[in-house]
Amino acid sequence: MSDTPFGFGLPPEEPDDGDEGKKKDQQSGGGQGPANPFGFGLPGAGGMGGGDNPFAAMFGSLNPTDLGAAFQQLGQMLSYEGGPVNWDMAKQIARQTVSQGTADGTKDASVGPAERTAVQEAVRLADLWLDDATSLPSGAGTAVAWSRAEWVEATLPAWQELVDPVAERVGTAMGDVLPEEMQAMAGPLIGMMRSMGGAMFGTQIGQAVGVLAGEVVGSTDIGLPLGPAGKAALLPVNIESFGKDLGVPKEEVRLYLALREAAHQRLFAHVPWLRSHLFGAVDGYARGIKVDTAKLEDVVGQFDPQNPEQLQDALQQGMFQPEDTPEQKAALARLETALALVEGWVDAVVHAAAKPRLSSADALRETLRRRRASGGPAEQTFATLIGLELRPRRLRDASRLWASLTDARGVDGRDALWAHPDMLPTATDLDDPDGFVHREQIDFSELDKMLGEAAGGSGGKPNLKKDTSEDDESKGDGTE
């Protein structure tokens, strides 16, 4: 993945006669290859018709037999008049990326009946174990086993919600750089640029989502609910790859990952404000993006439709690199803390459920922690698509905080903090979990009582099985 948010690079021209032609081109500085009409570089497109081929992910190798189809699709790309991202193109590229298989040679495959049954049983058992570890009831109405292609299809709506705010901001900037009196005259040019921008976003997103589909093991790997609500999903082919070198029985790996998926489902199902809180933080960050309008004005003023590589060069140079504004910093801090709390809670709850029952619980926990802390594919893809660099080191801090809360208040008191975002620990509290537990313990019961009375049992709080609620309710009945 590129270090810039959208990673568009300009590939070198590819000659017709293989390696020898490349050597000649390097010496002569020329190249007469028929490909690369627009010079869109596809990061990570090696093995898909050639990473240097501008439309490798869309058109294959662009040999003479499919050149006509390539230009037909090129026309469709330039005639695109939809939103800021060409999602049809993104979906097509993601599916084609999945069909190529992963770097280790693993190919996607339809999920068979035996695998579907195994996933359903694992999620069912995971939910039984979680009943002892959390007050939140099951949030998975169904359990499904997905292929990689099915994961792409199921998660694209969530990616659209995440990425469109950023793409919209960039698209608006592309149209606003011209003086108002010139915009009417330059209408066709602006429309072409926006169509190209939608194609560029669609290409990058499709490539990234397709690669990510070869890595994820469920629908909640990045701490966000990417799949449909109430549907716990696991990917058997990726679970097989994940557990291949761990020395842990496949059944235990599947069950541990089912515990994590089921725990995420409980949290997002019974904390109704959480999803909008996370996605809202992404949208808030996008609203604060600043585009280098001076550079963009220069490019637009000199833009030549016969030489669209100029726009590509500008993209490659980081024209849309987000700046650190106070609004963005606040949104980013809010998102990072919320994701850390989600992942830390899942880590603590799953460990409590698995430790007494699975001999491999500690090893699997540490493997997944390191996967997150090393900036794995999920974090890299997230940063590439929306320009946000997450800090998974907060996972361990958050897990320690939730563990301290469990010791101090029990499962019910710990989970009651999800009743409202203002009750949750802050980034500062993650640095001092014991201080948060000690400071908040004094007023916790009274605050919980007031929130319960204000909600009036109308669903304003998570659906908790609170053993401590009887005293509060009896007090409430006495006052009424």
Side-chain angles (χ1 to χ4, degrees):
M1 296 285 179
S2 167
D3 291 334
T4 58
F6 309 111
F8 303 122
L10 179 64
E13 293 184 358
E14 185 171 341
D16 293 331
D17 48 353
D19 294 336
E20 292 299 320
K22 287 183 181 179
K23 295 176 182 177
K24 292 177 183 177
D25 267 359
Q26 291 169 356
Q27 295 171 356
S28 65
Q32 304 296 325
N36 204 356
F38 284 85
F40 300 152
L42 296 175
M48 297 170 51
D52 294 337
N53 192 312
F55 292 104
M58 290 181 284
F59 304 137
S61 60
L62 274 182
N63 55 53
T65 61
D66 61 12
L67 191 58
F71 278 103
Q72 181 180 5
Q73 192 157 357
L74 176 61
Q76 294 173 353
M77 178 191 75
L78 294 179
S79 64
Y80 173 72
E81 297 180 352
V85 178
N86 189 330
W87 285 102
D88 291 336
M89 179 176 292
K91 178 179 176 180
Q92 178 183 353
I93 292 176
R95 291 292 300 262
Q96 291 183 353
T97 302
V98 164
S99 71
Q100 297 297 321
T102 54
D104 63 1
T106 304
K107 298 284 188 179
D108 193 21
S110 299
V111 181
E115 291 174 315
R116 295 186 187 279
T117 299
V119 166
Q120 290 169 356
E121 291 178 350
V123 172
R124 188 180 302 114
L125 181 57
D127 260 334
L128 289 175
W129 289 5
L130 288 172
D131 284 340
D132 296 330
T134 175
S135 297
L136 301 179
S138 175
T142 57
V144 294
W146 283 340
S147 65
R148 292 167 179 168
E150 289 173 322
W151 183 90
V152 168
E153 295 277 354
T155 63
L156 272 180
W159 290 118
Q160 183 171 353
E161 188 174 351
L162 287 167
V163 175
D164 269 352
V166 176
E168 180 67 37
R169 184 72 179 86
V170 172
T172 300
M174 293 177 73
D176 290 346
V177 294
L178 288 178
E180 185 175 353
E181 62 273 12
M182 294 181 59
Q183 290 187 14
M185 298 175 58
L189 175 60
I190 295 175
M192 179 181 178
M193 291 177 63
R194 286 180 173 170
S195 295
M196 291 172 61
M200 291 175 182
F201 275 106
T203 298
Q204 175 71 4
I205 292 165
Q207 177 73 12
V209 171
V211 171
L212 185 57
E215 306 278 355
V216 295
V217 295
S219 69
T220 55
D221 283 38
I222 65 172
L224 293 172
L226 297 179
K231 185 172 290 187
L234 295 176
L235 282 71
V237 64
N238 290 351
I239 292 176
E240 183 81 22
S241 297
F242 171 79
K244 183 171 56 177
D245 299 321
L246 297 181
V248 177
K250 180 171 64 176
E251 294 75 13
E252 290 195 19
V253 174
R254 183 195 300 118
L255 183 51
Y256 193 87
L257 296 176
L259 281 165
R260 290 184 52 83
E261 179 74 8
H264 278 103
Q265 294 294 334
R266 288 183 180 227
L267 194 58
F268 287 113
H270 299 290
V271 183
W273 55 265
L274 183 56
R275 186 184 190 279
S276 60
H277 180 74
L278 292 169
F279 281 66
V282 174
D283 183 68
Y285 183 85
R287 287 197 302 269
I289 284 180
K290 302 297 182 183
V291 180
D292 189 342
T293 54
K295 184 184 295 185
L296 189 55
E297 287 174 358
D298 183 63
V299 171
V300 172
Q302 303 179 27
F303 181 73
D304 178 6
Q306 301 295 324
N307 186 24
E309 287 85 355
Q310 292 175 343
L311 181 60
Q312 185 68 25
D313 284 334
L315 287 166
Q316 186 179 12
Q317 293 166 12
M319 177 185 296
F320 306 126
Q321 182 71 35
E323 297 177 357
D324 288 333
T325 64
E327 294 80 9
Q328 282 179 301
K329 288 181 178 179
L332 181 58
R334 186 167 66 252
L335 178 62
E336 287 174 344
T337 301
L339 283 175
L341 291 174
V342 168
E343 290 297 278
W345 183 88
V346 168
D347 180 79
V349 166
V350 168
H351 184 69
K355 176 69 172 175
R357 300 176 174 96
L358 292 179
S359 59
S360 58
D362 288 332
L364 290 170
R365 183 191 202 189
E366 188 59 29
T367 297
L368 286 163
R369 280 182 163 187
R370 289 179 178 177
R371 191 186 194 203
R372 294 300 306 273
S374 62
E379 286 78 24
Q380 292 171 7
T381 298
F382 197 66
T384 300
L385 293 183
I386 63 175
L388 292 174
E389 192 69 48
L390 304 180
R391 290 181 293 176
R393 70 175 181 83
R394 306 302 287 174
L395 163 63
R396 292 180 185 267
D397 299 331
S399 184
R400 283 194 294 269
L401 185 145
W402 289 119
S404 297
L405 285 169
T406 306
D407 294 339
R409 306 180 185 179
V411 168
D412 294 322
R414 177 200 67 197
D415 292 346
L417 287 176
W418 290 106
H420 191 276
D422 291 343
M423 296 175 65
L424 288 176
T426 64
T428 302
D429 295 323
L430 293 180
D431 296 326
D432 183 19
D434 293 334
F436 173 81
V437 173
H438 178 73
R439 182 176 67 252
E440 295 291 323
Q441 180 67 43
I442 299 174
D443 297 324
F444 176 78
S445 297
E446 188 64 23
L447 180 58
D448 185 53
K449 175 187 172 184
M450 288 188 295
L451 286 172
E453 291 173 349
S458 60
K461 296 177 61 181
N463 184 11
L464 304 178
K465 300 179 293 183
K466 292 180 62 62
D467 295 335
T468 60
S469 62
E470 294 182 1
D471 293 341
D472 291 339
E473 290 175 359
S474 62
K475 293 176 184 178
D477 292 340
T479 58
E480 293 176 1

